[in-house]
Amino acid sequence: MSVQRPDDRETLLAMSAYLVFLMPLIFIPDSRFAMFHANQGLLLLGVALFCHLLWLVPRFGWLLVFLSWPLLVALAIRGIIAAARGECKPLPGVGKLELLK
């Protein structure tokens, strides 16, 4: 995705999208850069919820949940770093999906 270099406010809100994906949607819905990162944050939340549902599967599900959380944290950190650099890099695996327009 090609966008112009974001200003500090856009960068900060894009970084916050990995913790609370609604922040860019509320404060700067017209920024393509922030919306890209809000989409990535929403995708990450969806993956986290799916992983959390695995908790219902005894033993094997618990192991998968235990192993998935460090990966989810690493993906969130990767997204925050990309937002801080002003880049629009999709997250590995699910990042190419587009839930928000």
Side-chain angles (χ1 to χ4, degrees), residues 9-70:
R9 181 173 181 235
E10 284 178 310
T11 301
L12 184 62
L13 286 168
M15 290 168 61
S16 72
Y18 292 93
L19 303 174
V20 182
F21 78 93
L22 289 172
M23 296 291 282
L25 297 174
I26 293 170
F27 293 106
I28 48 173
D30 55 337
S31 168
R32 291 185 66 211
F33 175 75
M35 290 302 288
F36 172 84
H37 288 287
N39 183 66
Q40 297 295 295
L42 179 59
L43 289 171
L44 192 60
L45 175 65
V47 171
L49 290 175
F50 175 76
C51 289
H52 191 68
L53 285 176
L54 293 175
W55 191 264
L56 299 174
V57 179
R59 293 189 189 126
F60 182 69
W62 300 345
L63 177 65
L64 288 176
V65 169
F66 178 74
L67 296 176
S68 68
W69 282 106

Side-chain angles (χ1 to χ4, degrees), residues 3 8 11 30 64 74 88 98:
V3 295
D8 292 340
T11 301
D30 55 337
L64 288 176
C88 290
E98 190 173 336

Side-chain angles (χ1 to χ4, degrees), residues 5-6 11 15 33 37 78-89:
R5 178 76 182 145
T11 301
M15 290 168 61
F33 175 75
H37 288 287
R78 181 177 176 176
I80 290 169
I81 290 171
R85 291 180 177 169
E87 301 170 344
C88 290
K89 287 185 178 178

